[in-house]
Amino acid sequence: MIYQALRVGLLAVILALLVSDHSLAQSARPQQLKVAVSTATPHNTPLWVARDKKIFDKYGVDVQMIFVMGGALVSQMLAAGEIQVAANAPAALVSLIAGGTDIAMFLGISNTSPFSLITQPNIKTAADLKGKRLGTARFGGSSHVSALIALDHLGLDAKRDKILIMQTGLDPERMAALEQKGLDAAMLQRLATKTMLAKSYTQLLNMNQAKITYQNTVLASRRDQMTANPKLFDSFVRAVVEGYAYVFNKDNKQAVREVIAKNLRLPNADAAEDFYVEALEELDRKPYPTVEGTKTVIKYVSEQNPKVASVKAERIVDSSWLKKLDDEGFFEKVYRSK
């Protein structure tokens, strides 16, 4: 009788230990987070570093990063719940938000436009651009909105000045169209700009150097996803910020160039030098998304979609995740430790 009682008690203890071990294993298992990136550009370097250098693993987040061609498709995937985080242009998000999808932009990956307005060698002034053809990528995307902002900054208006804005593919396609005289001007990013300037093409405007307020790329999520998984998103944001610290540490230059070369499919780290410099120029040490930059996006996208005019930048920009880290001294900690 006593033996049977002891046996039952021992089995209960073993079962309890097994359940406890299983619970601990479950809690220790990294939580999965699907992140979609819409463009292969250097400002995504902190994300690549956080993944390739196992920083996400350190914070217990299993980040599944996928590349999806086109910001519009990434936005639709976010709205449908197929991904939890989008690294995307706000220009591709605000139309969905205007339609009722509750999306929050919680980190500003790129808080300035990386584009320059490059023209044929014979076009030297803004006035020379009147009646000409200007190439961008997709309508409503970052390069298209940047084109509208650039024209405005130069005192031009596409309709009034009969400037034809054309969808002509990514940088390589736009460069080829310039050389074949199929375009008079194009919006190009840093490396493409450098290449065309070496061939005597004209730079009418460098938007980064002009310090034009613009929210180019953000990390965004549906608000219900964030409120349902606050610990997961907190860990994710911490890992990304540590990725920033890794990138900005000059001792890591070679390692960062190797990460860029791998993700941009370049032949070696030396080929990534220009992209490394571009990343340092474009990234902010504290990557808060900006309300003013988002207002600029809303202003120009609403010209194509009037419903977007009702979107309030203050509502969709959520700085609380970064502010929490700022208040507890997390930025100082990771930058000092790096």
Side-chain angles (χ1 to χ4, degrees):
M1 195 78 168
I2 294 174
Y3 173 77
Q4 186 176 2
L6 287 173
R7 185 180 178 188
V8 172
L10 182 59
L11 287 172
V13 170
I14 292 172
L15 181 60
L17 288 172
L18 287 173
V19 171
S20 176
D21 287 345
H22 178 72
S23 297
L24 287 172
Q26 288 288 95
S27 63
R29 184 179 300 166
Q31 289 184 273
Q32 190 176 91
L33 197 70
K34 292 182 180 179
V35 180
V37 177
S38 63
T39 53
T41 57
H43 59 241
N44 288 320
T45 301
L47 295 174
W48 296 333
V49 163
R51 180 191 61 191
D52 294 355
K53 295 302 177 182
K54 309 299 184 183
I55 299 174
F56 286 131
D57 295 354
K58 171 184 171 181
Y59 286 91
V61 185
D62 176 17
V63 170
Q64 302 295 309
M65 197 176 302
I66 58 176
F67 178 77
V68 179
M69 182 65 74
L73 181 55
V74 170
S75 299
Q76 291 164 10
M77 292 173 67
L78 183 66
E82 296 173 10
I83 57 172
Q84 286 77 52
V85 176
N88 206 5
L93 294 167
V94 290
S95 291
L96 274 178
I97 295 170
T101 305
D102 195 4
I103 293 173
M105 305 188 314
F106 60 91
L107 190 145
I109 295 181
S110 172
N111 295 336
T112 183
S113 175
F115 291 97
S116 289
L117 176 53
I118 304 300
T119 66
Q120 294 289 347
N122 63 311
I123 297 177
K124 301 294 185 183
T125 68
D128 294 337
L129 200 57
K130 294 179 179 180
K132 300 297 193 298
R133 298 157 299 175
L134 170 59
T136 70
R138 295 173 182 269
F139 290 153
S142 186
S143 65
H144 178 228
V145 175
S146 292
L148 297 176
I149 296 171
L151 293 177
D152 192 22
H153 186 81
L154 293 170
L156 297 169
D157 178 87
K159 291 182 180 179
R160 182 194 67 210
D161 297 315
K162 299 181 180 179
I163 299 170
L164 178 61
I165 299 179
M166 304 171 63
Q167 291 186 133
T168 48
L170 302 178
D171 278 4
E173 287 79 19
R174 296 199 290 274
M175 294 164 70
L178 280 172
E179 295 192 285
Q180 294 164 9
K181 302 297 194 300
L183 289 175
D184 302 295
M187 302 304 298
L188 298 177
Q189 297 182 77
R190 188 181 190 277
L191 186 58
T193 292
K194 181 179 178 181
T195 300
M196 300 310 284
L197 291 182
K199 296 179 179 181
S200 300
Y201 286 78
T202 303
Q203 180 174 255
L204 276 190
L205 178 67
N206 181 311
M207 297 184 70
N208 187 19
Q209 291 178 1
K211 302 301 179 186
I212 296 171
T213 302
Y214 179 66
Q215 189 66 59
N216 183 54
T217 311
V218 295
L219 291 183
S221 180
R222 277 182 13 198
R223 210 176 295 270
D224 60 344
Q225 293 271 8
M226 302 174 80
T227 55
N229 301 282
K231 290 183 179 180
L232 175 60
F233 275 86
D234 179 75
S235 297
F236 174 70
V237 173
R238 288 174 189 273
V240 173
V241 169
E242 191 161 323
Y244 271 79
Y246 191 100
V247 171
F248 277 106
N249 183 356
K250 293 182 179 179
D251 292 340
N252 296 330
K253 178 177 179 179
Q254 181 63 14
V256 173
R257 293 198 311 168
E258 289 172 357
V259 169
I260 292 173
K262 171 189 170 184
N263 285 278
L264 292 182
R265 299 182 180 180
L266 304 175
N268 52 53
D270 289 341
E273 176 65 22
D274 279 312
F275 296 105
Y276 172 76
V277 173
E278 182 178 346
L280 293 183
E281 288 178 351
E282 197 173 335
L283 298 172
D284 292 333
R285 293 174 73 90
K286 291 186 177 182
Y288 282 94
T290 68
V291 169
E292 289 306 311
T294 303
K295 286 181 178 178
T296 302
V297 173
I298 291 170
K299 173 186 174 183
Y300 287 95
V301 175
S302 64
E303 293 179 4
Q304 314 297 316
N305 180 0
K307 290 183 178 179
V308 171
S310 65
V311 175
K312 301 299 181 186
E314 295 85 354
R315 163 65 181 163
I316 62 176
V317 171
D318 182 359
S319 298
S320 64
W321 299 87
L322 289 178
K323 188 175 186 308
K324 176 186 176 183
L325 303 192
D326 218 345
D327 290 345
E328 70 180 51
F330 184 79
F331 284 98
E332 289 75 10
K333 176 184 175 183
V334 294
Y335 277 105
R336 185 171 58 248
S337 66
K338 296 294 177 183

